[in-house]
Amino acid sequence: MGIFDRDLWTEVFGTLTKNLVRTFLTTLGVIFAIIILVLLLGSTNGMSNGFNKVFAGTATNSMFLWTQTTSMPYKGFERGRRVQFTLEDADLIQKQVKEIDLIAPRIQLGNFEGTVTVNRLGKTSGSSVYGDYPSIDNVSKKRMVEGRFLNQNDMDEAKKVCVIGLDTYKLLFDKGENAIGKTININGIYFSVVGVFKRNGNINFDGENTVHLPFSTFQKAFNTGNRIGWMSILIEPGKKVSVAEKKIKDILKRKYDIHPEDPRAFGSFDFSQIFTGINAVTLGLKGFSIFIGALTLLAGIIAVSNILLITVKERTNEIGVRRALGATPGVIRRQIILESIVLTLFAGLIGLIISVGVLHIFDILWGDGDGFPFSNPSVSIPQLIFSFSLMILLSTLIGMIPANRAVKIKPIEALREE
Amino acid sequence: MIEIKNLHKSYKMGSNSLHVLKGIDFSVKEGELVAIMGSSGSGKSTLLNILGMLDEADSGTYNLDNVPIKNLNETKAANYRNKFLGFVFQSFNLINYKSALENVALPLYYQKVNRKKRLQKSLDYLEQVGLKEWANHLPNELSGGQKQRVAIARAMAAEPKVLLADEPTGALDSKTSYEVMDLIQQINDKGNTILIVTHEPDIAQMCKRIVHLRDGVIEKDEMVEQVRASQYV
């Protein structure tokens, strides 16, 4: 008589289907518990997916570095001085700070956040124009609509090519027009378009009204020498951005004779902090969901156990008869525990079906909303396995209470009861 | 088949102790049909419960088919009951959500007989008690007499050494009682050992031997001329 014995299950289902209304009501608690658990987990996953979508293509372990004005006098220099980053600075820190994976220096035409007029066949756009290293794509991935991004060949040969954002494309080209190979005019110099990109998820610091030139081309075309505007720095996976950030700033402060304590000379933005924060939030929400879900489940299963206790009381006579006919305490105990497990799993399955349906509705309602990071709310297979294991475990443990009560019934007393 | 020596049993009722069985010596041979008679409080049900291993004696020995019955834990008692004994109760005690066939098959289920064999055997026994056509009916669709016949079929299905019947006709009218007794006599005719607790003299007269209990001792143990129940049916 193994666990897969057909008769055992016939016995279990026989008793459970005897009173269908009560069986269903008994399971309501567990059904709701599973709905709550799955909805909470699913929504948390949805938020997590939503954030991932927002940051898709952005290297999480990265930082920006730019110069500001000094706030402290040092070595004869007055405060209020502003240093200019050059390519040598990038080389210097790349060499000295081993945490750095790669540096993508960038220079912008005009002022920071300023725009330049770009012309094409009488159409104009006010766009940001950048000189970029192709490696910038590793820090902030561009989603190409047409063509390609800048490559090393463009850099080496200082080709007069550019990649433009979708907004720039819309301003300069007719709808449906093929931009690849066409030229645009920036400050009297012509560049041919090799690619059009669009925003990648929700985070894109550059926007889409931008023109990206190879850095070397930019240098020559606009005579900027070795100057750079700011650097995107990718830190090796597993290394702390904040540690690298301190090292980089210390090196640069020494080089430019800036007071070591000056907090304002360089500006920087540590991406990993945002990610750590968000990960902590979603992780916390997940833990909270599991905690609430498990407790609700416990309450639901205790309700099941309670009903089974009542059933045992009602079935006193039946259990007595079974005992008189030769049912051992083990057989009785196993049957009651199985009833507890079956009820719980059955309820869990119903709850799961309902909650997956509800999650699907959530997805339709808010899944692709731009306002709130929420995407593809669903529960993972490991989470499902966890939930069902938890149900089996709890229902077994708690099923012991009515099971032991049933075993304690003396057949002689049970038979006397009418 | 059954050997009982100097059996004592008392129940604690608060501070008092009620001495119910005061030294019973009693034996039953294979194939006997014995009626245990006595007024209420005479200890006849207690005796039957001890014989049925539903209760344990305080002292004395009990051998069933040369197996000493003592120091039983619940599991052992269940196995012995399943192997040695068939029970018939006054209130039938059928499981009400199981069909007649499933009720009969229940002891075989606990004997771990496989399903096909079990149902076949149960159907045979139902046929023997004349209820083959009712096999798939629930107990509440059966009359009292039919219920008791199902209960007898259930008791016999496990092929016990001894059939113990506690007031088997107590809830039945006299015509149905005789039908049930006719069945019990037929079963006894095949060589089965049967003990019946009853307080009805006419039922007792249909057995082969009557044991009179009074105040926890055997007052009289007599062989009787068996009255066949079939003449009343």
Side-chain angles (χ1 to χ4, degrees):
Chain A
M1 276 206 297
I3 196 86
F4 295 111
D5 184 52
R6 178 176 157 195
D7 299 313
L8 183 62
W9 294 101
T10 315
E11 285 284 303
V12 168
F13 284 108
T15 44
L16 289 183
T17 49
K18 179 173 54 157
N19 194 336
L20 272 178
V21 177
R22 185 168 66 190
T23 302
F24 175 71
L25 289 178
T26 307
T27 56
L28 268 184
V30 177
I31 292 178
F32 282 125
I34 283 298
I35 290 179
I36 287 171
L37 180 66
V38 172
L39 283 190
L40 281 175
L41 277 179
S43 302
T44 315
N45 286 349
M47 278 184 69
S48 177
N49 291 343
F51 280 121
N52 283 342
K53 207 171 154 191
V54 168
F55 293 112
T58 310
T60 54
N61 215 25
S62 63
M63 59 175 281
F64 280 161
L65 182 67
W66 63 90
T67 59
Q68 298 174 151
T69 52
T70 58
S71 61
M72 293 162 94
Y74 189 60
K75 286 193 177 171
F77 290 107
E78 278 182 37
R79 48 188 260 186
R81 185 171 55 108
R82 187 187 190 108
V83 298
Q84 172 70 54
F85 280 160
T86 64
L87 282 178
E88 284 80 43
D89 297 336
D91 284 344
L92 180 73
I93 57 175
Q94 171 99 60
K95 269 182 201 128
Q96 295 200 357
V97 182
K98 59 180 187 308
E99 284 94 340
I100 293 176
D101 194 357
L102 63 89
I103 299 178
R106 165 179 278 186
I107 187 159
Q108 184 177 4
L109 200 55
N111 297 319
F112 177 66
E113 288 188 339
T115 57
V116 175
T117 307
V118 181
N119 297 294
R120 178 178 180 267
L121 302 175
K123 290 188 173 185
T124 59
S125 74
S127 311
S128 307
V129 176
Y130 301 115
D132 268 325
Y133 275 70
S135 56
I136 186 78
D137 212 33
N138 295 325
V139 183
S140 173
K141 187 95 187 148
K142 299 273 185 283
R143 201 196 301 182
M144 304 308 292
V145 182
E146 273 186 289
R148 58 172 177 84
F149 195 66
L150 304 173
N151 60 28
Q152 196 57 39
N153 201 24
D154 299 331
M155 274 292 286
D156 294 345
E157 298 179 19
K159 284 184 177 172
K160 287 211 254 177
V161 294
C162 67
V163 173
I164 62 176
L166 199 57
D167 286 345
T168 314
Y169 166 83
K170 281 177 185 157
L171 290 166
L172 296 177
F173 291 86
D174 291 330
K175 208 174 179 186
E177 195 180 351
N178 185 8
I180 306 298
K182 307 280 165 56
T183 53
I184 59 172
N185 182 345
I186 303 166
N187 286 4
I189 302 165
Y190 287 91
F191 300 90
S192 69
V193 177
V194 293
V196 179
F197 69 87
K198 70 172 187 179
R199 53 199 273 144
N200 198 348
N202 285 351
I203 279 206
N204 192 326
F205 296 98
D206 304 334
E208 286 174 88
N209 191 358
T210 56
V211 177
H212 299 261
L213 311 174
F215 192 88
S216 51
T217 316
F218 193 103
Q219 280 177 308
K220 283 186 182 165
F222 304 113
N223 199 25
T224 51
N226 267 348
R227 277 180 285 153
I228 59 176
W230 69 91
M231 295 181 246
S232 301
I233 303 172
L234 190 61
I235 306 300
E236 280 184 356
K239 301 277 164 58
K240 274 199 176 285
V241 174
S242 52
V243 174
E245 183 184 347
K246 172 106 174 38
K247 285 188 187 172
I248 291 167
K249 284 184 177 172
D250 286 349
I251 290 167
L252 291 173
K253 279 173 180 170
R254 260 202 313 279
K255 179 178 174 186
Y256 287 109
D257 292 327
I258 294 166
H259 193 289
E261 304 294 312
D262 193 334
R264 294 236 292 268
F266 300 115
S268 60
F269 184 80
D270 178 355
F271 263 124
S272 67
Q273 273 180 7
I274 300 184
F275 289 108
T276 329
I278 287 170
N279 282 341
V281 168
T282 48
L283 199 69
L285 279 176
K286 257 176 215 171
F288 178 73
S289 308
I290 289 173
F291 179 69
I292 296 285
L295 282 189
T296 320
L297 193 59
L298 183 67
I301 292 174
I302 286 175
V304 167
S305 153
N306 242 326
I307 297 289
L308 284 179
L309 267 180
I310 295 171
T311 334
V312 163
K313 181 94 186 105
E314 278 176 7
R315 282 159 63 192
T316 300
N317 178 255
E318 178 201 322
I319 290 167
V321 175
R322 286 171 181 275
R323 294 285 293 277
L325 294 180
T328 56
V331 169
I332 301 278
R333 187 181 286 129
R334 183 174 60 179
Q335 177 166 351
I336 308 263
I337 289 176
L338 268 184
E339 281 172 22
S340 167
I341 295 175
V342 167
L343 268 180
T344 310
L345 284 187
F346 168 73
L349 217 55
I350 292 184
L352 184 70
I353 291 168
I354 295 175
S355 48
V356 165
V358 173
L359 280 180
H360 188 65
I361 294 171
F362 280 6
D363 194 25
I364 291 169
L365 289 181
W366 302 303
D368 280 319
D370 275 336
F372 184 69
F374 194 75
S375 168
N376 186 25
S378 60
V379 280
S380 61
I381 300 292
Q383 283 171 336
L384 279 186
I385 293 173
F386 165 79
S387 311
F388 276 80
S389 312
L390 189 70
M391 278 195 282
I392 293 179
L393 180 75
L394 287 179
S395 55
T396 307
L397 287 179
I398 293 175
M400 300 244 187
I401 300 169
N404 285 335
R405 173 73 64 90
V407 167
K408 270 197 198 119
I409 296 173
K410 282 227 155 41
I412 178 173
E413 284 155 19
L415 289 170
R416 211 175 282 143
E417 192 165 314
E418 290 305 320
Chain B
M1 184 60 67
I2 292 176
E3 293 271 356
I4 280 179
K5 284 209 176 74
N6 200 23
L7 204 69
H8 284 267
K9 178 73 182 175
S10 52
Y11 289 109
K12 285 226 153 47
M13 311 281 270
S15 53
N16 301 327
S17 172
L18 191 66
H19 205 171
V20 183
L21 296 182
K22 301 165 182 167
I24 306 269
D25 292 299
F26 171 60
S27 67
V28 177
K29 285 192 263 317
E30 192 167 352
E32 279 198 277
L33 175 53
V34 183
I36 299 170
M37 282 197 79
S39 55
S40 63
S42 62
K44 58 186 197 298
S45 288
T46 307
L47 179 60
L48 196 77
N49 285 336
I50 291 170
L51 290 176
M53 294 175 227
L54 297 170
D55 208 345
E56 238 182 315
D58 297 335
S59 66
T61 59
Y62 170 21
N63 287 323
L64 178 61
D65 198 26
N66 296 323
V67 177
I69 306 298
K70 58 181 179 186
N71 301 329
L72 294 180
N73 61 29
E74 289 287 353
T75 307
K76 218 167 165 186
N79 287 333
Y80 278 176
R81 282 197 290 269
N82 189 249
K83 216 159 82 184
F84 291 137
L85 301 169
F87 287 93
V88 176
F89 306 97
Q90 177 177 7
S91 51
F92 322 127
N93 279 330
L94 297 178
I95 291 173
N96 57 23
Y97 59 92
K98 284 180 175 291
S99 70
L101 186 66
E102 287 169 328
N103 264 290
V104 176
L106 205 55
L108 295 172
Y109 169 66
Y110 293 124
Q111 277 183 359
K112 304 176 169 73
V113 176
N114 78 47
R115 184 179 174 81
K116 213 176 148 201
K117 214 168 150 192
R118 191 164 81 217
L119 293 182
Q120 185 53 51
K121 210 169 172 185
S122 306
L123 204 61
D124 288 348
Y125 276 97
L126 272 182
E127 193 175 13
Q128 281 181 34
V129 300
L131 290 172
K132 197 183 179 187
E133 294 74 35
W134 296 82
N136 294 313
H137 286 257
L138 291 176
N140 60 18
E141 295 163 343
L142 303 175
S143 72
Q146 286 173 324
K147 281 185 202 170
Q148 198 58 299
R149 271 145 67 191
V150 171
I152 291 170
R154 180 175 68 182
M156 294 309 296
E159 292 171 353
K161 304 276 185 207
V162 178
L163 183 67
L164 299 174
D166 189 4
E167 304 269 8
T169 59
L172 304 173
D173 62 57
S174 50
K175 188 178 178 296
T176 328
S177 295
Y178 296 146
E179 284 172 14
V180 167
M181 281 313 292
D182 183 34
L183 182 62
I184 288 177
Q185 285 177 343
Q186 286 173 30
I187 292 167
N188 175 244
D189 290 345
K190 289 177 194 157
N192 293 292
T193 316
I194 303 175
L195 260 75
I196 298 175
V197 163
T198 184
H199 63 269
E200 295 167 82
D202 55 336
I203 296 298
Q205 286 301 321
M206 290 176 177
C207 299
K208 292 174 177 167
R209 176 182 162 196
I210 302 176
V211 174
H212 295 269
L213 274 184
R214 193 188 172 93
D215 297 330
V217 288
I218 294 179
E219 187 187 45
K220 201 162 86 181
D221 188 346
E222 54 175 352
M223 297 304 225
V224 295
E225 188 70 24
Q226 188 182 30
V227 178
R228 294 301 292 191
S230 52
Q231 59 190 307
Y232 299 103
V233 177

